[in-house]
Amino acid sequence: MKKILILNTGGTISMSEDHTTGKVSPTENNPISIGEGIFSHIAHIYMENLYNLPSPHITEFEMFELKQRIMQAIDEGYEGVVITHGTDTLEETAYYLELTLDVEIPVVITGAMRSSNEIGADGLANLRSSLVVAVSDESSDKGVLVVMNDEAHTATYVTKTHTTNVATFQTPTFGPIGLVSKNEVIYFQKLLKEEHYEVNSVSKKIYLLKAYAGMGGELIDAIRNLGADGLVIEALGAGNLPPKTVPAIKQLLDDNIPVVFVSRAFNGVTQDVYDYVGGGKRFCQDGVIFTTGLSGQKARIKLLVLLEANIDKCKLEELF
């Protein structure tokens, strides 16, 4: 059997519900730890409580430390790593690891939508599915995977789509790349493009804004005054903004601060189509970077990683 490391970082999967008040909170003893024994028929399992944090408490610093711990695990002879994580920021941690790890062993991230003592708790089921994926030889070339609800998704495109549903993690347009049965994972797709960058620091300040009707440049100016290293905007449609934002965007670009556009629409890609004040065509001509298929939170992580990796700013457009 393979040697698998489970790294617990916290989240609902490690919490319990107070049946009197209905409050869900971390517990002193991680309830997921029983998986170390009941799933021993799947692999030689070793469990480590790296953090006990709700996912809104996870920052780029914890993501970086998690990446470092996985690299150490490879040196220790582990043949796969499973990470338990809160679901609110799970996709961001997963994508950070996808961009910063260039490893052959399977790296799987999972979580839960229901705490351990709720009816229909999904934590142990998701952990079992993740272990099945982690021990599969077919998982070694699939990049970082998010496994929830018996589905395997790529870290690059998966997103949380529902606040409470156990089937919340979906990949818009493409769907999951694999399905998990009782004892195997069956893959139907493969991520065609993988990219990895060497990151050894956590220092850049990257901000994310969402566009809205009548938006002005005040928030953009404030971000520039905070010493931003980059800005991602969930723009309107295929990549447009209200006209009052234009001077503030131009000032960022003049200061050599990269600005990246994604669409606030759920599906589709950004394109420099419209030629009017605030239109994507003019923003593109000014130097705004347009993405293909990334959400705002994913584009923020990618810009963060590229700048931490000291990628030349003239190459950013190509890499997005």
Side-chain angles (χ1 to χ4, degrees):
M1 287 194 293
K2 292 188 176 181
K3 181 181 177 183
I4 304 296
L5 176 63
I6 298 176
L7 294 174
N8 295 319
T9 68
T12 300
I13 194 170
S14 64
M15 297 183 186
S16 297
E17 180 185 51
D18 186 314
H19 292 307
T20 302
T21 64
K23 295 179 180 178
V24 176
S25 57
T27 56
E28 185 174 338
N29 296 315
N30 191 337
I32 209 69
S33 61
I34 64 173
E36 192 171 7
I38 64 175
F39 297 133
S40 59
H41 63 286
I42 299 177
H44 293 300
I45 297 171
Y46 301 83
M47 189 170 292
E48 180 178 323
N49 293 322
L50 195 60
Y51 307 114
N52 190 16
L53 296 173
S55 62
H57 294 195
I58 296 290
T59 69
E60 297 90 342
F61 179 77
E62 284 78 27
M63 296 178 193
F64 176 77
E65 282 199 331
L66 187 54
K67 186 265 291 190
Q68 296 289 83
R69 181 65 188 92
I70 293 170
M71 296 299 296
Q72 181 184 341
I74 295 172
D75 292 337
E76 294 167 350
Y78 287 100
E79 298 167 274
V81 175
V82 173
I83 301 153
T84 65
H85 196 290
T87 60
D88 285 350
T89 60
L90 184 151
E91 64 193 88
E92 287 157 273
T93 296
Y95 190 45
Y96 181 93
L97 295 177
E98 170 67 27
L99 292 174
T100 59
L101 286 173
D102 186 7
V103 300
E104 294 183 2
I105 69 167
V107 176
V108 181
I109 303 186
T110 192
M113 295 302 293
R114 296 173 182 161
S115 56
S116 61
N117 60 339
E118 288 184 70
I119 294 175
D122 55 331
L124 285 177
N126 288 334
L127 180 59
R128 183 204 65 83
S129 294
S130 298
L131 289 168
V132 169
V133 170
V135 300
S136 172
D137 293 336
E138 297 295 318
S139 302
S140 61
D141 63 344
K142 299 297 190 298
V144 175
L145 295 170
V146 173
V147 175
M148 297 275 290
N149 202 40
D150 288 340
E151 294 180 344
H153 297 262
T154 66
T156 302
Y157 294 114
V158 72
T159 191
K160 186 175 182 178
T161 64
H162 196 284
T163 55
T164 58
N165 196 308
V166 295
T168 180
F169 280 92
Q170 304 288 331
T171 301
T173 306
F174 308 122
I177 67 167
L179 301 176
V180 184
S181 66
K182 286 189 175 182
N183 54 14
E184 66 176 336
V185 56
I186 304 170
Y187 289 105
F188 299 95
Q189 301 186 71
K190 182 180 179 180
L191 185 65
L192 295 180
K193 180 181 178 182
E194 293 185 27
E195 49 189 324
H196 309 289
Y197 304 95
E198 184 66 32
V199 171
N200 295 300
S201 61
V202 182
S203 62
K204 302 300 182 183
K205 296 164 65 175
I206 311 298
Y207 294 88
L208 172 63
L209 290 178
K210 187 166 190 148
Y212 54 88
M215 183 180 185
E218 303 87 353
L219 292 176
I220 300 168
D221 287 333
I223 285 172
R224 179 171 58 85
N225 292 332
L226 286 170
D229 294 297
L231 174 63
V232 175
I233 299 181
E234 293 187 8
L236 307 174
N240 313 299
L241 289 181
K244 291 182 180 179
T245 64
V246 172
I249 295 291
K250 285 187 175 181
Q251 186 61 62
L252 281 176
L253 296 171
D254 288 343
D255 291 347
N256 201 30
I257 299 171
V259 179
V260 176
F261 277 10
V262 303
S263 176
R264 73 175 193 178
F266 190 71
N267 277 312
V269 299
T270 53
Q271 294 178 304
D272 56 326
V273 176
Y274 291 100
D275 189 10
Y276 53 71
V277 178
K281 179 65 70 175
R282 296 193 185 182
F283 277 125
C284 188
Q285 291 169 349
D286 289 336
V288 170
I289 298 167
F290 282 61
T291 64
T292 302
L294 288 178
S295 63
Q297 59 268 31
K298 295 281 184 67
R300 179 186 170 274
I301 290 294
K302 183 166 186 176
L303 182 57
L304 172 76
V305 167
L306 291 175
L307 294 181
E308 295 285 10
N310 296 314
I311 299 297
D312 194 304
K313 290 181 180 179
C314 67
K315 295 183 179 180
L316 293 180
E317 182 176 2
E318 175 188 347
L319 294 174
F320 270 99

